[in-house]
C-alpha cells in the first residue's frame, strides 16, 4: 500500500509547461541533499522496493528471450552475412558456456537454420510480451510514487505499455547493449570486416555518450508517459532521468566488478552465476529507475508547494489502554477524544 502524498499536476496551474530552468531553480532553492532525502522517503512509502522486485522479474523474463532471439539471428545471418559479429556480441553478454553454443549455431545445416528461425521468431514475440508487462509494472509503480491510487483501465494500460515497450524500452536496451557489449562489437567488426584501428578507437569513445543519450531519453520518455497523470515537459523530467541513469551506471559497474573479482560469487552459485548476476542487475535497475522517478516527483511537488513526500503515521491507541485514559498530547492531530455516555 502506498502512503505517499498526491503530487498536484503542474500542467493544470499554467498554460506553459515547466522547463529545465524551472527545475534548476527549484533544485537550487531547496537544496540537493534535502530533495534526495525526501525523494527516498517518497520511494520508500510508495512501496518502491516491491515494485522494483516485480519489475526485475519482468526484465529477466524479457532479457532471456531476446538473447534467444539473437542466437536465432546468428543462424539466419550465417558467418558471411554478419552472423559472426552478432555471435561475438552474444558471447560478450553471456560468456562461458555460451561459446560452444554459438559455434554450433554458426554451422550451415538445414536443422540448425530451422531451429534458428524458430528461436528468432519466438524469442522476439516472447521478449516483447514480457517487455509490455514490464512497462505496465512501471506504470503501477509510478502511480503509487506520485500518489495516484488507480492505474488506467486494462485495455488502455496495456496498449500504452506495448507502445512504450517499442518506443522507449527497446532504445534503452540498445543503449545497454552498446554500453556492455560495444567493445566486443567493435573488435569483431574490425576483425572480420577490416574496420581500421582509427574507426575502432572512435567507436569505443563514441559509444559511451551514445549509450548515455539513448538511456536518458528512453527513461525520460517513460517518466513522461507511464504515470496516469499529466506530466511536465521532458526537459523537466531529464533531471530525474539523469539521476536514474547515473545510479544505474554506478550499480551496474559495481556489480560487474564484484562478479569478476569475487571468487566466492562464482563458487556459491556455480552454473547459475550468470542468472544470479542477471537477477541482481535487474533488481538494481528497478531501484535506480524508481528512485529517479521519485526524485522527479518530489521536485515537482516542491515546485507547487507540497513538500511533504508522505502522509504522517496514523495514531493507533494501545490495545491495553482505552482512549479516555490517554492524554490529549499523544494525539498527533491535537484533537480531543470524543466523550461517550451510556444512557
Amino acid at each position: 500500500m502506498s502512503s505517499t502524498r498526491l503530487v498536484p499536476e503542474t500542467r493544470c496551474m499554467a498554460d506553459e509547461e515547466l522547463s529545465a530552468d524551472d527545475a534548476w531553480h527549484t533544485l537550487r532553492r531547496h537544496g540537493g541533499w534535502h530533495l534526495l532525502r525526501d525523494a527516498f522517503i517518497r520511494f520508500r512509502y510508495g512501496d518502491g522496493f516491491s515494485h522494483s522486485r516485480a519489475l526485475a522479474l519482468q526484465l529477466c523474463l524479457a532479457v532471456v528471450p531476446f538473447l534467444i532471439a539473437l542466437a536465432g539471428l546468428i543462424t539466419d545471418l550465417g558467418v558471411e552475412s554478419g552472423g559472426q559479429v552478432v555471435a561475438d556480441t552474444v558471447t560478450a553478454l553471456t560468456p562461458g558456456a555460451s561459446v560452444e553454443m554459438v559455434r554450433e549455431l554458426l554451422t550451415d545445416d538445414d536443422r540448425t537454420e530451422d531451429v534458428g528461425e524458430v528461436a528468432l521468431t519466438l524469442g522476439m514475440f516472447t521478449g516483447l510480451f514480457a517487455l509490455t508487462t514490464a512497462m505496465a509494472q512501471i506504470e503501477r509503480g509510478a502511480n503509487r510514487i506520485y500518489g495516484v491510487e488507480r492505474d488506467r483501465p486494462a485495455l488502455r494500460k496495456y496498449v500504452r505499455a506495448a507502445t512504450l515497450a517499442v518506443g522507449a524500452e527497446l532504445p534503452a536496451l540498445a543503449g545497454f547493449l552498446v554500453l556492455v557489449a560495444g567493445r566486443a562489437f567493435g573488435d569483431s567488426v574490425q576483425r572480420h570486416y577490416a574496420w581500421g584501428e582509427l574507426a575502432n578507437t572512435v567507436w569505443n569513445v563514441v559509444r559511451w555518450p551514445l549509450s548515455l543519450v539513448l538511456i536518458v531519453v528512453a527513461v525520460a520518455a517513460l517518466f513522461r508517459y507511464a504515470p496516469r497523470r499529466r506530466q511536465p515537459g521532458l526537459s523537466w523530467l531529464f533531471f530525474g532521468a539523469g539521476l536514474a541513469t547515473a545510479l544505474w551506471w554506478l550499480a551496474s559497474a559495481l556489480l560487474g566488478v564484484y562478479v569478476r573479482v569475487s571468487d566466492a560469487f562464482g563458487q556459491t552459485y556455480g552454473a547459475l552465476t550468470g542468472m544470479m548476476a542477471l537477477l541482481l542487475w535487474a533488481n538494481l535497475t528497478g531501484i535506480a529507475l524508481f528512485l529517479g522517478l521519485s526524485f522527479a516527483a518530489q521536485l515537482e511537488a516542491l515546485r507547487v508547494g507540497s513538500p511533504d513526500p508522505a502522509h504522517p503515521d496514523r495514531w493507533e491507541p494501545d490495545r491495553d489502554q482505552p482512549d479516555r485514559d490517554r492524554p490529549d498530547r499523544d494525539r498527533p492531530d491535537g484533537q480531543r477524544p470524543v466523550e461517550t455516555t451510556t444512557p
Side-chain angles (χ1 to χ4, degrees):
M1 286 293 294
S2 172
S3 60
T4 56
R5 285 191 180 275
L6 178 67
V7 179
E9 295 181 359
T10 53
R11 292 184 65 184
C12 296
M13 300 177 61
D15 294 333
E16 297 181 359
E17 293 183 356
L18 295 178
S19 65
D21 292 335
D22 296 323
W24 176 246
H25 291 316
T26 303
L27 182 61
R28 291 186 61 184
R29 184 168 63 252
H30 293 280
W33 174 250
H34 178 271
L35 183 57
L36 285 173
R37 182 200 64 191
D38 288 346
F40 179 76
I41 293 174
R42 180 173 289 278
F43 168 82
R44 177 171 173 259
Y45 282 95
D47 211 6
F49 287 108
S50 296
H51 293 300
S52 298
R53 289 191 294 269
L55 177 61
L57 173 62
Q58 299 300 329
L59 287 177
C60 291
L61 293 177
V63 168
V64 174
F66 278 129
L67 289 176
I68 295 174
L70 284 177
L73 182 63
I74 296 171
T75 304
D76 283 351
L77 292 177
V79 180
E80 295 81 6
S81 303
Q84 187 63 55
V85 176
V86 181
D88 292 339
T89 305
V90 172
T91 302
L93 290 172
T94 57
S98 62
V99 176
E100 188 62 32
M101 178 197 72
V102 169
R103 290 177 180 173
E104 293 179 1
L105 291 173
L106 288 173
T107 58
D108 294 329
D109 54 63
D110 294 337
R111 176 182 174 277
T112 304
E113 185 176 353
D114 294 338
V115 172
E117 292 178 355
V118 173
L120 178 60
T121 303
L122 293 182
M124 287 299 297
F125 277 107
T126 306
L128 285 175
F129 177 79
L131 208 56
T132 299
T133 59
M135 296 303 100
Q137 182 61 46
I138 290 177
E139 177 187 335
R140 173 165 295 182
N143 287 338
R144 303 307 176 266
I145 286 173
Y146 274 96
V148 179
E149 293 299 329
R150 298 191 65 178
D151 300 341
R152 294 181 178 88
L155 181 60
R156 290 175 53 197
K157 176 179 179 178
Y158 285 98
V159 168
R160 180 173 291 244
T163 304
L164 288 175
V166 176
E169 194 60 24
L170 284 181
L173 287 176
F176 167 73
L177 291 175
V178 170
L179 177 66
V180 176
R183 178 179 291 275
F185 174 83
D187 293 341
S188 181
V189 172
Q190 181 184 12
R191 196 163 50 247
H192 298 288
Y193 292 95
W195 192 349
E197 185 67 28
L198 178 61
N200 192 27
T201 303
V202 172
W203 164 251
N204 285 327
V205 173
V206 170
R207 69 185 180 92
W208 293 95
L210 176 62
S211 172
L212 177 64
V213 170
L214 285 173
I215 294 173
V216 171
V217 172
V219 172
L222 288 177
F223 287 6
R224 176 69 184 273
Y225 298 108
R228 191 186 183 184
R229 65 190 302 274
R230 286 180 288 186
Q231 291 285 76
L234 282 175
S235 59
W236 175 277
L237 297 171
F238 274 143
F239 285 84
L243 176 63
T245 303
L247 291 175
W248 177 78
W249 267 17
L250 178 62
S252 300
L254 292 177
L255 178 62
V257 171
Y258 173 71
V259 171
R260 286 195 299 268
V261 173
S262 176
D263 295 332
F265 190 84
Q267 293 175 358
T268 302
Y269 296 107
L272 298 176
T273 298
M275 183 57 65
M276 293 304 301
L278 176 62
L279 289 172
L280 287 174
W281 171 83
N283 193 21
L284 293 173
T285 298
I287 292 174
L289 180 70
F290 286 120
L291 276 175
L293 191 62
S294 301
F295 184 87
Q298 189 59 27
L299 186 64
E300 188 177 358
L302 290 174
R303 172 65 175 78
V304 297
S306 179
D308 294 333
H311 293 287
D313 291 338
R314 295 179 178 178
W315 175 80
E316 295 182 358
D318 294 339
R319 294 179 180 270
D320 299 331
Q321 187 176 9
D323 290 354
R324 59 185 175 84
D325 293 336
R326 294 185 60 86
D328 296 343
R329 58 184 174 83
D330 288 344
R331 291 181 176 269
D333 54 3
Q335 297 179 357
R336 292 180 177 272
V338 179
E339 298 289 345
T340 58
T341 59
T342 303

